Amino acid sequence: MTTNNALDGSKIPDIPSSMFYVPDFINHKEEADLLKAIPSNRWIQLQHRRLQTHPSSLSKSNTLLGAPLPPWLIDPIISKFKSFGLFSDSPHHAPNHVLINEYNPNEGIMPHEDGAAYYPIVATVSLSSALCLDIYEKNHDEDQAPVGSSPKWRVLQEPRSLLVTCGSAYTDTLHGISEVEIDENLGPDTVANWGLLGDSETLVGSGGKNVRTTRISLTYRDVLKVSKIGARILGRPRGQVI
Ligand SMILES: O=C(O)CCC(=O)C(=O)O
């Protein structure tokens, strides 16, 4: 991945190349504005979390109906990505798709990979609560984490932080969020991004525990296949339909 060196000090050690962690990527006001802007009528309730997709879900052939992202998902976040050089080498030079996940305490997501529909970079902005993202080495025979296996690494995502996953961290690992109320045993030896955290002191003070509240994540990606039909419906110029 090409960046403009702004992420040089943010690489998470030990994890396959590369994951980057930036605490306080957005400020409190930007976080509050984003939380207010998330539409309440777009949620899809899943078994262990709520999800919304912007501008729309992918088709069965992993194609995105081309349409702009809503302005509140562009500014300030995509503008800040540009200042880091993020997505500069992706096909559309910017993310065109955002999944918003909401997890209450005791909710999570099974280990999975993001797959080939996207250019291999995902940028995640966390809102409201911290939680641990568990990273597993992929079992290449099955493209799954071995059943019952423990994560090889844990990344603590603080509210307002940015986590960037690209390269072999994207292609050769799985990620998931365990369904717990409290992330425990957090410390320099168990959290891969400990040295990059904005506030490790509070965790030390709480005996290495993070008590979760509701956490929202915005995951920005560049979908490779984009159909121009969406743009035509919106009255934009005609283009090649794929
Ligand atoms: O909420 C997160 O940080 C992870 C979301 C995720 O795994 C996904 O959208 O595929």
Side-chain angles (χ1 to χ4, degrees):
M1 181 189 68
T2 312
T3 65
N4 58 9
N5 303 331
L7 286 176
D8 277 359
S10 305
K11 190 172 175 318
I12 302 179
D14 300 333
I15 293 184
S17 285
S18 296
M19 286 180 102
F20 299 90
Y21 180 79
V22 181
D24 300 312
F25 175 69
I26 56 170
N27 63 36
H28 284 269
K29 168 146 191 340
E30 289 165 337
E31 178 187 39
D33 289 347
L34 278 161
L35 288 168
K36 253 189 261 155
I38 295 172
S40 57
N41 59 354
R42 291 275 300 253
W43 289 112
I44 297 167
Q45 184 66 52
L46 305 177
Q47 216 177 347
H48 300 286
R49 65 196 154 97
R50 292 203 294 179
L51 171 71
Q52 48 181 276
T53 309
H54 294 273
S56 60
S57 308
L58 303 191
S59 73
K60 285 206 181 96
S61 62
N62 281 336
T63 303
L64 176 69
L65 212 56
L69 287 166
W72 55 272
L73 282 172
I74 297 174
D75 254 327
I77 292 184
I78 295 184
S79 319
K80 289 190 195 226
F81 288 167
K82 291 208 168 112
S83 69
F84 283 97
L86 289 175
F87 293 92
S88 57
D89 51 6
S90 81
H92 304 99
H93 308 295
N96 55 15
H97 194 247
V98 181
L99 295 181
I100 305 182
N101 278 294
E102 183 190 77
Y103 310 85
N104 290 313
N106 286 312
E107 293 185 332
I109 187 166
M110 297 277 290
H112 65 282
E113 60 183 322
D114 286 346
Y118 309 102
Y119 188 73
I121 173 171
V122 53
T124 305
V125 177
S126 292
L127 309 175
S128 286
S129 174
L131 55 63
C132 272
L133 187 74
D134 297 329
I135 315 290
Y136 302 79
E137 273 179 322
K138 195 156 104 181
N139 174 344
H140 278 282
D141 297 336
E142 298 176 21
D143 283 357
Q144 284 174 2
V147 175
S149 65
S150 349
K152 176 117 192 209
W153 302 278
R154 290 196 299 167
V155 173
L156 187 73
Q157 293 174 276
E158 298 168 295
R160 298 174 296 285
S161 67
L162 170 69
L163 179 69
V164 179
T165 306
C166 57
S168 56
Y170 185 99
T171 49
D172 298 343
T173 69
L174 305 175
H175 56 278
I177 293 169
S178 62
E179 294 173 0
V180 298
E181 190 181 358
I182 304 177
D183 298 291
E184 301 196 68
N185 189 24
L186 305 175
D189 298 333
T190 58
V191 173
N193 60 329
W194 185 264
L196 297 167
L197 291 175
D199 181 14
S200 50
E201 289 305 306
T202 302
L203 288 169
V204 172
S206 65
K209 289 185 204 277
N210 169 57
V211 180
R212 295 185 190 174
T213 56
T214 299
R215 180 251 187 183
I216 291 184
S217 65
L218 314 177
T219 49
Y220 285 78
R221 300 178 177 85
D222 187 354
V223 179
L224 299 175
K225 286 197 271 177
V226 178
S227 154
K228 297 280 171 35
I229 293 171
R232 289 227 298 269
I233 292 167
L234 294 169
R236 283 155 196 267
R238 282 172 177 259
Q240 188 192 359
V241 177
I242 56 169

